[in-house]
């Protein structure tokens, strides 16, 4: 491994330089990933129809559930890889790689088998109607066929980023994005495969990127590489992975519940077009969220390494810098969606009813969006340094303590408006709680840093 790619520089290089080096590739990758999710919706909206967009929206809870199990392994392992590299425990980091591979294989296959058996009942439970379930079923069946590929691809990409290869992790995402964007119109418009074509484009694109990742980790010249003895599942490693990964797991699990409540509320008070509108709004929100997640992914190895090395001032510095950038991104999202809502929504559909419903939801959901950047970075901060309990608490605060009750109560009072307005209310209240917890932790770090110099 070259000095440039060595994880050791995480404890010595200027924090701003490191964040730029690690975050920009992650941002490009996450933005590209979001864009290809958006292009899926755009191609489906224009090539299949408005009901197909609603059908796609019905798959979001199940996709969040799949992401929950993926993040349980991927986020936990990547954080521990960073910490172990900071502690110079290279053998432990390699064992982590082997366990990530095996866990993704087991979890990915198990998830697919279970949900392929009960797909229709699950989709009806998530709010499907007789008009929308054919689209949701066809799309989700193909995604589940390739679920183990998705889990392995995302898990190994996290390890790539944490082991000193942020650019390669970015390239792997870009490869899958480009291939997906090329295959989508071919499968939908040329082959006339409809929504199924979009799903196959996603799976094939991820398979190609996974093949390149496997080749990288198969090289014995890499600090982390596949080798004998690392594939046996070890209890202590699995417990560590699950303990740290439990925060994003629960966050995605709660997202599954939240999207289900949103879909059910919109179906009851607004019908299939309201669900389709949420599908569009969710894709737009997802674009800005993924950019912020790119900053978070760039911050994660820096914070994890320096926490492992007990360089607390550097941990605080990288968190503050990431927060400023994330708030800037969420503020840009707020301005664009309030100034040009019809233009943005018009990319997804030409259906007048769906456009108006989407613009209505967009204005409400982005009402307090600038603060979302701070809330996301603060929660990720605790995940990055292995403080899983605090991360779990903050993850659950927005979803379960604030958003879920609002989605149960407010629609009964205000109908569709009650569903939409629940989202900014939860964002505001959760951010206040997150700020209190983060400030307290920073004070603790400053005190620990002061004591270490005495």
């Amino acid at each position: 491994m070259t000095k440039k790619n060595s994880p050791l520089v995480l404890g010595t290089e200027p924090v701003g330089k490191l964040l730029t080096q690690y975050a920009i590739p992650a941002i490009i990758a996450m933005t590209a990933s979001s864009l290809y999710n958006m292009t899926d919706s755009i191609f489906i909206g224009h090539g299949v129809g408005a009901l197909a967009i609603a059908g796609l929206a019905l798959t979001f809870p199940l996709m969040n559930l799949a992401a929950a199990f993926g993040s349980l392994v991927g986020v936990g392992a990547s954080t521990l890889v960073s910490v172990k590299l900071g502690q110079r425990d290279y053998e432990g980091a390699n064992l982590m790689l082997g366990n990530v591979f095996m866990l993704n294989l087991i979890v990915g296959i198990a998830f697919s088998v279970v949900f392929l058996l009960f797909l229709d009942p699950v989709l009806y439970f998530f709010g499907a109607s007789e008009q929308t379930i054919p689209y949701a079923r066809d799309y989700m069946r193909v995604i589940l066929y390739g679920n183990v590929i998705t889990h392995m691809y995302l898990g190994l990409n996290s390890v790539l980023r944490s082991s000193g290869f942020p650019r390669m992790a970015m390239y792997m995402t870009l490869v899958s994005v480009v291939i997906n964007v090329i295959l989508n119109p071919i499968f939908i418009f040329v082959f006339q495969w409809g929504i199924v074509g979009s799903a196959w484009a996603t799976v094939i694109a991820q398979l190609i990127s996974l093949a390149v990742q496997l080749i990288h980790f198969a090289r014995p010249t890499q600090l982390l590489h596949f080798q004998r003895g690392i594939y046996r599942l070890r209890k202590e490693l699995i417990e560590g992975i699950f303990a740290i990964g439990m925060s994003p797991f629960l966050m995605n699990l709660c997202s599954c519940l939240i999207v289900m409540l949103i879909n059910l509320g919109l179906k009851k008070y607004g019908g299939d077009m309201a669900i389709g509108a949420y599908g569009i709004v969710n894709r737009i929100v997802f674009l800005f969220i993924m950019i912020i997640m790119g900053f978070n992914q760039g911050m994660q190895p820096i914070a994890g390494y320096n926490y492992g090395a007990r360089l607390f001032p550097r941990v605080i510095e990288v968190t503050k810098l990431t927060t400023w950038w994330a708030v800037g991104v969420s503020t840009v999202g707020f301005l664009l969606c309030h100034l040009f809502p019809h233009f943005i929504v018009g990319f997804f559909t030409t259906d007048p009813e769906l456009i108006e419903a989407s613009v209505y939801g967009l204005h409400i959901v982005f009402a307090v969006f600038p603060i979302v950047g701070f809330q996301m970075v603060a929660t990720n901060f605790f995940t990055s340094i292995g403080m899983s309990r605090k991360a779990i608490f903050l993850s659950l605060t927005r979803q379960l303590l604030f958003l879920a009750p609002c989605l149960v109560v407010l629609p009964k009072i205000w109908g569709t408006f009650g569903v939409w307005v629940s989202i900014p209310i939860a964002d505001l209240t959760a951010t206040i709680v997150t700020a209190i917890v983060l400030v307290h932790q920073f004070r603790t770090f400053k005190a620990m840093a002061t004591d270490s110099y005495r």
Side-chain angles (χ1 to χ4, degrees), residues 161-173:
R161 191 176 299 107
S162 295
S163 60
F165 292 91
R167 286 185 178 273
M168 186 173 182
M170 175 192 72
Y171 293 144
M172 291 303 93
T173 304

Side-chain angles (χ1 to χ4, degrees), residues 32-229:
S33 178
S34 176
L35 286 174
Y36 94 58
N37 283 325
M38 290 181 71
T39 56
D40 280 355
S41 298
I42 291 170
F43 286 127
I44 289 170
H46 289 283
V48 189
L51 281 176
I53 290 241
L56 184 64
L58 292 168
T59 68
F60 292 168
L62 196 50
M63 300 284 275
N64 283 333
L65 192 58
F69 284 96
S71 61
L72 179 64
V73 177
V75 175
S78 63
T79 298
L80 286 176
V81 165
S82 295
V83 172
K84 287 184 179 298
L85 289 173
Q87 296 169 341
R88 309 295 200 274
D89 182 7
Y90 305 128
E91 181 181 355
N94 268 295
L95 289 174
M96 196 66 63
L97 172 63
N99 277 240
V100 167
F101 182 89
M102 294 305 300
L103 283 173
N104 278 315
L105 188 65
I106 294 168
V107 173
I109 293 174
F111 187 92
S112 294
V113 170
V114 170
F115 284 97
L116 280 170
L117 290 174
F118 303 101
L119 185 55
D120 273 23
V122 169
L123 291 174
Y124 277 119
F125 183 68
F126 288 157
S129 68
E130 292 299 324
Q131 288 72 39
T132 56
I133 195 169
Y135 300 106
R137 180 198 301 125
D138 289 348
Y139 183 85
M140 204 63 224
R141 188 176 289 155
V142 175
I143 294 297
L144 287 171
Y145 290 155
N147 185 60
V148 67
I149 295 171
T150 302
H151 277 215
M152 195 73 71
Y153 154 70
L154 294 175
L156 291 181
N157 227 37
S158 295
V159 176
L160 262 180
R161 191 176 299 107
S162 295
S163 60
F165 292 91
R167 286 185 178 273
M168 186 173 182
M170 175 192 72
Y171 293 144
M172 291 303 93
T173 304
L174 288 177
V175 166
S176 66
V177 169
V178 171
I179 294 172
N180 184 67
V181 171
I182 292 172
L183 293 180
N184 245 295
I186 294 174
F187 289 170
I188 293 176
F189 296 106
V190 179
F191 292 173
Q192 296 291 305
W193 288 356
I195 199 169
V196 173
S198 180
W200 275 117
T202 298
V203 172
I204 291 171
Q206 292 177 347
L207 176 61
I208 293 171
S209 287
L210 173 61
V212 179
Q213 293 171 339
L214 293 174
I215 292 171
H216 169 85
F217 283 114
R219 293 171 180 161
T221 54
Q222 299 298 336
L223 183 62
L224 295 187
H225 63 275
F226 296 134
Q227 55 190 284
R228 287 184 179 181

Side-chain angles (χ1 to χ4, degrees), residues 127-443:
S129 68
E130 292 299 324
Q131 288 72 39
T132 56
I133 195 169
Y135 300 106
R137 180 198 301 125
D138 289 348
Y139 183 85
M140 204 63 224
R141 188 176 289 155
V142 175
I143 294 297
L144 287 171
Y145 290 155
N147 185 60
V148 67
I149 295 171
T150 302
H151 277 215
M152 195 73 71
Y153 154 70
L154 294 175
L156 291 181
N157 227 37
S158 295
V159 176
L160 262 180
R161 191 176 299 107
S162 295
S163 60
F165 292 91
R167 286 185 178 273
M168 186 173 182
M170 175 192 72
Y171 293 144
M172 291 303 93
T173 304
L174 288 177
V175 166
S176 66
V177 169
V178 171
I179 294 172
N180 184 67
V181 171
I182 292 172
L183 293 180
N184 245 295
I186 294 174
F187 289 170
I188 293 176
F189 296 106
V190 179
F191 292 173
Q192 296 291 305
W193 288 356
I195 199 169
V196 173
S198 180
W200 275 117
T202 298
V203 172
I204 291 171
Q206 292 177 347
L207 176 61
I208 293 171
S209 287
L210 173 61
V212 179
Q213 293 171 339
L214 293 174
I215 292 171
H216 169 85
F217 283 114
R219 293 171 180 161
T221 54
Q222 299 298 336
L223 183 62
L224 295 187
H225 63 275
F226 296 134
Q227 55 190 284
R228 287 184 179 181
I230 67 172
Y231 303 105
R232 182 171 64 86
L233 294 178
R234 299 168 187 265
K235 182 181 178 182
E236 68 277 8
L237 295 183
I238 295 174
E239 288 177 348
I241 289 171
F242 285 177
I244 296 172
M246 190 58 64
S247 170
F249 171 79
L250 291 176
M251 186 163 62
N252 279 291
L253 193 64
C254 289
S255 294
C256 173
L257 170 65
I258 294 304
V259 175
M260 182 189 72
L261 289 175
I262 291 173
N263 282 344
L264 290 174
L266 292 175
K267 179 184 177 183
K268 181 177 181 179
Y269 296 102
D272 289 332
M273 283 299 104
I275 293 178
Y278 175 68
I280 291 175
V281 172
N282 188 59
R283 290 303 197 201
I284 297 168
V285 170
F286 197 59
L287 172 62
F288 296 102
I289 292 297
M290 291 295 271
I291 296 173
I292 296 170
M293 286 179 65
F295 278 110
N296 280 343
Q297 288 186 359
M299 181 187 86
Q300 183 268 320
I302 304 169
Y305 183 100
N306 285 283
Y307 179 74
R310 300 186 66 80
L311 299 172
F312 301 121
R314 290 174 63 83
V315 178
I316 295 173
E317 184 182 356
V318 72
T319 305
K320 287 183 175 179
L321 186 58
T322 307
T323 300
W324 280 112
W325 282 105
V327 170
V329 169
S330 55
T331 301
V332 170
F334 168 83
L335 293 172
L336 289 176
C337 291
H338 280 279
L339 293 174
F340 312 105
H342 284 85
F343 176 77
I344 294 172
V345 171
F347 280 104
F348 295 86
T349 182
T350 56
D351 185 284
E353 182 183 357
L354 186 54
I355 288 176
E356 289 308 312
S358 301
V359 169
Y360 176 76
L362 200 65
H363 280 302
I364 299 172
V365 168
F366 276 82
V368 297
F369 201 67
I371 64 175
V372 170
F374 164 77
Q375 207 271 340
M376 287 183 62
V377 173
T379 302
N380 180 73
F381 159 76
F382 289 104
T383 301
S384 298
I385 62 174
M387 293 189 174
S388 55
R389 290 187 179 181
K390 289 184 179 180
I392 290 170
F393 168 73
L394 294 177
S395 298
L396 296 181
T397 296
R398 177 186 179 273
Q399 307 277 44
L400 287 188
L401 297 185
F402 300 125
L403 186 49
C406 286
L407 288 169
V408 171
V409 175
L410 297 185
K412 296 178 181 178
I413 303 172
W414 294 320
T416 303
F417 173 74
V419 177
W420 290 115
V421 80
S422 297
I423 297 172
I425 289 174
D427 288 336
L428 180 60
T429 49
T431 298
I432 294 171
V433 173
T434 301
I436 295 171
V437 177
L438 183 66
V439 168
H440 179 267
Q441 187 61 52
F442 276 6
R443 288 175 178 171

